[in-house]
Amino acid sequence: MEEQSGKSEAYLDTKVEVLADGPMLVHGSVIVQTPDGKEEIKQKTTAFCRCGESANKPYCDGTHVKIGFKG
Ligand code: FES
């Protein structure tokens, strides 16, 4: 992977993957801060909703399949 902004590859331990017609996956450790000020630490892989219809926002709950989300 190409070094960017002078930061070492050693710091690039999180990967974002956008799935076709589905969620955005974040692989790695992240802190998720919600509008109510709560914070959650997520490990491994976290799926974030892109379709806007999840009942568990900001996370994907699989609703994108039911509604036929394209994007
Ligand atoms: S992307 Fe999966 S519920 Fe929205």
Side-chain angles (χ1 to χ4, degrees):
M1 184 174 287
E2 187 176 322
E3 187 174 312
Q4 297 179 355
S5 304
K7 293 185 178 180
S8 165
E9 287 182 40
Y11 295 102
L12 299 177
D13 60 355
T14 301
K15 176 183 171 186
V16 175
E17 179 182 13
V18 179
L19 299 184
D21 307 331
M24 179 178 72
L25 303 181
V26 178
H27 304 277
S29 301
V30 293
I31 298 172
V32 179
Q33 186 176 43
T34 53
D36 59 7
K38 292 181 183 169
E39 287 188 353
E40 286 184 86
I41 297 172
K42 297 290 191 177
Q43 309 283 351
K44 297 184 180 175
T45 301
T46 307
F48 291 93
C49 177
R50 289 198 310 124
C51 75
E53 297 300 323
S54 172
N56 189 33
K57 292 183 191 82
Y59 308 109
C60 171
D61 69 355
T63 300
H64 62 273
V65 175
K66 193 181 333 178
I67 66 170
F69 173 66
K70 298 291 180 201

